[in-house]
Amino acid sequence: MSILVLAEHHDGALAVATAHVVAAAQAIGGDIHVLVAGENVGAIAEAAAKLDGVAKVLVADNAAYAHLLAEPTAALLSELAGDYGHLLAAASTNGKNVLPRVAALKDVAQISEIIAVESPDTFKRPIYAGNAIATVQSEDTLKVITVRSTGFDAVGEGGSATIEAVNFVADNTQSTFIKEELAKSDRPELAAAKVVVSGGRGMGNGENFKLLDGIADKLGAAIGASRAAVDAGFVPNDMQVGQTGKIVAPELYIAVGISGAIQHLAGMKDSKVIVAINKDEEAPIFQVADYGLVADLFQVLPELEQKL
């Protein structure tokens, strides 16, 4: 049967996570359709149509789907689900908000945060903060799945899918969009950045996080943080990397003053190259690091920035 992918988009642009989810759909096999829901999303639909492997893009362009509120978006997916064997979305805030509701509406189990496809009905997903990998088989006729984008390489943009309008408009009386407050940054988005520099409790305070700015500027990197640094109030929680934060898998991850608690490792251990800077040579972070520097971060960060 066909596979329907819910497109992830922000600020009028298709999010790169969608290309990763399409890659997961390719691993399952079958015709791949992408649903773009929102308001004034024509340009996003055109971008989705260029993704390799996508046969059709469905466009639900209506004010009812603005901001991807969970209730109307779930109702839309539920309406379309009869034509598909799999519904996929990124394991993002939107995906985690919408797909469980779809699974409930269709009375099927959800499979969360898959990282590999064994067969069309069997998938691998991390459990216990990534310490074990569960192999899950579903006998449901409709499989509702969120995809951990770091588990699949993004597809390219050589496609030319057809674009088709969806006329169904969900009746939403349950929720109303009031406002959103987004952190503004000139840096790359944390979950999609190719280089991430993260600070931990060892940074001492929020003011010291400025030591990471120069390095991040020279590397074109996003800045992250451990939960310990967020809980201590050093930085806002949208910078948190880890099991209860953002899952990242950049080309280069630099962990500064981070001990490497298992919850943090769960969010970054799939990074291609991991560099750790910590004055405690017994810190668990060194067990997963490709390069480790046992040193005082307050001495080596200025030197690193200068040499870069």
Side-chain angles (χ1 to χ4, degrees):
M1 288 189 73
S2 299
I3 302 166
L4 183 61
V5 172
L6 176 63
E8 183 87 8
H9 57 87
H10 307 286
D11 298 326
L14 185 70
V16 69
T18 306
H20 292 273
V21 180
V22 170
Q26 287 182 332
I28 294 171
D31 287 339
I32 301 171
H33 298 175
V34 173
L35 171 64
V36 178
E39 187 175 18
N40 299 322
V41 291
I44 298 169
E46 291 176 5
K50 295 177 183 178
L51 294 177
D52 287 336
V54 176
K56 183 188 293 184
V57 175
L58 303 178
V59 184
D61 196 332
N62 191 283
Y65 307 121
H67 310 289
L68 285 179
L69 290 181
E71 290 81 6
T73 308
L76 172 63
L77 281 166
S78 180
E79 177 72 16
L80 298 174
D83 296 329
Y84 299 96
H86 299 74
L87 294 182
L88 273 61
S92 61
T93 302
N94 286 327
K96 293 176 181 179
N97 199 17
V98 173
L99 257 61
R101 299 167 193 264
V102 179
L105 289 169
K106 306 305 290 185
D107 195 24
V108 297
Q110 178 177 300
I111 304 171
S112 298
E113 300 207 32
I114 67 165
I115 58 171
V117 175
E118 295 287 289
S119 71
D121 68 353
T122 306
F123 312 92
K124 289 184 178 292
R125 60 180 299 266
I127 58 174
Y128 304 133
N131 279 300
I133 305 299
T135 301
V136 181
Q137 185 176 36
S138 170
E139 296 182 355
D140 289 328
T141 54
L142 174 66
K143 294 164 182 61
V144 178
I145 301 168
T146 58
V147 177
R148 183 173 287 191
S149 58
T150 57
F152 300 87
D153 292 332
V155 299
E157 295 185 341
S160 57
T162 59
I163 298 177
E164 182 179 303
V166 175
N167 295 322
F168 176 79
V169 178
D171 181 20
N172 178 31
T173 59
Q174 295 175 285
S175 61
T176 304
F177 176 80
I178 297 175
K179 67 174 182 176
E180 62 182 357
E181 296 180 10
L182 302 175
K184 301 292 183 182
S185 175
D186 294 330
R187 300 193 187 283
E189 202 276 317
L190 183 57
K194 292 185 178 180
V195 181
V196 174
V197 181
S198 285
R201 196 200 309 270
M203 297 300 295
N205 57 54
E207 187 69 20
N208 289 335
F209 262 76
K210 292 180 179 177
L211 291 170
L212 304 180
D213 287 345
I215 295 170
D217 289 341
K218 292 187 176 182
L219 295 176
I223 295 182
S226 68
R227 178 168 181 172
V230 171
D231 285 351
F234 296 171
V235 290
N237 60 10
D238 62 344
M239 292 173 61
Q240 183 179 326
V241 172
Q243 182 184 10
T244 55
K246 294 180 179 176
I247 309 296
V248 301
E251 300 292 325
L252 172 63
Y253 187 88
I254 303 177
V256 182
I258 294 175
S259 64
I262 192 167
Q263 291 85 353
H264 186 77
L265 299 184
M268 46 64 73
K269 66 181 181 181
D270 291 329
S271 304
K272 303 297 186 292
V273 176
I274 299 172
V275 176
I277 301 173
N278 199 299
K279 64 181 180 181
D280 178 11
E281 64 183 29
E282 302 296 327
I285 191 73
F286 289 122
Q287 296 177 17
V288 299
D290 299 286
Y291 300 93
L293 179 59
V294 179
D296 184 339
L297 65 89
F298 297 106
Q299 293 179 5
V300 299
L301 286 182
E303 184 178 353
L304 175 60
E305 180 183 348
Q306 182 181 14
K307 290 186 180 298
L308 285 171

